Amino acid sequence: MTPTGPRDVPDGPGAPEVVDVVALGESMVTFLPSRPGPLADVPSFERGIGGAESNVACVLAATGHSVRWISSVGADPFGDHLVETIGGYGVDVTHVRRDPDRPTGIYFRTAGDRSGAAHEVAYYRAGSAASAMSAGTVDPAAVRAGRVLHLSGITAALSGTCLGLMRELTTRRPGRPLVSFDVNHRPGLWRGGDAPAVLRDLARCADLVFVGQDEAWGLHSAEAVRAALPEPEVLVVKQGAAGATVFHQRDVTFVPAPRVDVVAAVGAGDAFAAGFLSATLRGLPVRDRLRHGHLMAAAALTVPGDLAAPPAREHADRLAALDDAAWGRLRLGPGWTEGTQRAAEEVRTP
């Protein structure tokens, strides 16, 4: 499946420019600790940005794609920072709404792997500008003016109006762009027990779905996930450090992940989605789409923040084209994207 682009975007003066990808969702200002330890003991923090959809947008823009981010932020300094920073990656931010009545969301987190028992996250996003998004606050033409529309389950958890917007955007109708949906189940954002059913329903309406094995409703194999989600044309089941499996119509493709010297396990899922989408937009084979996803995830895993500079396209293409034996030897560590740490394959191959 290679996206062909939207079919009913209005043209003429004032019409939104058609782009490769439109990503819609909340981004927040992130405060990263200056040292490991409980939040109560950390003396200072560094400011960054975090948001599943904007992370995907920034990585795609950094790899040369035209991307638009649609969201709502407060008319406040944190909103200024988000718009300026995301726009600095080359993302079109002209359709980000500034809400004069609601603040920009922020959050604090501990350093290191967020899967550990000691990991803490403190969100201050209730009542945020993004939580007030609805079908009436976004420009439908701007949303449709992409070859791909990328969404995630996080938006559905923010509010009833956000869930209504997600249902509107994922409704199958003539002329919609290819809909990419990352399940991104965050239990702490949901109230009550409806999350699994809601996320499954949204996923069933998408064309391309990303879901982690650890968030797949208690299902214990990629095949079981596919049985639960037969509708999407492409289903990507991420299986952690083992790799990922793609179901594309009747074909099943598994590609192992390279070994990675992990600095922080944050942002990897978003980077994987960006790599897979980039390769999809370029019409690459399914195996190479998975490999580009793994490479972008490795870039994120080898830096402390949510966003990493991706490898140059030529570098990523060369690694993605390795034979299976060389791919299996690959090991990536901090600095590999800039060439300051060479991949194991490069060390071993004359």
Side-chain angles (χ1 to χ4, degrees), residues 38-79:
L39 288 178
D41 298 336
V42 175
S44 59
F45 297 81
E46 294 185 1
R47 186 180 62 178
I49 64 171
E53 302 83 3
S54 61
N55 285 348
V56 171
C58 289
V59 174
L60 282 167
T63 57
H65 293 282
S66 56
V67 190
R68 172 176 299 127
W69 175 54
I70 294 178
S71 188
S72 184
V73 300
D76 53 35
F78 288 144

Side-chain angles (χ1 to χ4, degrees), residues 11 23 54 58 108 110 144 153 215 218 232 239 249 254 294 304 320 344 349:
D11 55 13
S54 61
C58 289
F108 298 76
T110 47
R144 292 197 305 269
E215 60 181 354
Q239 295 157 289
Q249 300 173 347
F254 172 79
H294 288 318
T349 302

Side-chain angles (χ1 to χ4, degrees), residues 255-321:
V255 171
R259 289 170 292 169
V260 178
D261 297 327
V262 176
V263 172
V266 292
D270 304 329
F272 180 97
F276 191 94
L277 286 172
S278 174
T280 298
L281 286 159
R282 296 169 59 200
L284 300 185
V286 169
R287 185 206 70 169
D288 290 3
R289 298 179 193 190
L290 281 170
R291 287 187 172 185
H292 276 276
H294 288 318
L295 291 169
M296 291 300 178
L301 289 168
T302 50
V303 298
D306 284 27
L307 281 167
R313 180 174 287 185
E314 297 78 10
H315 187 190
D317 282 345
R318 187 179 61 77
L319 294 179

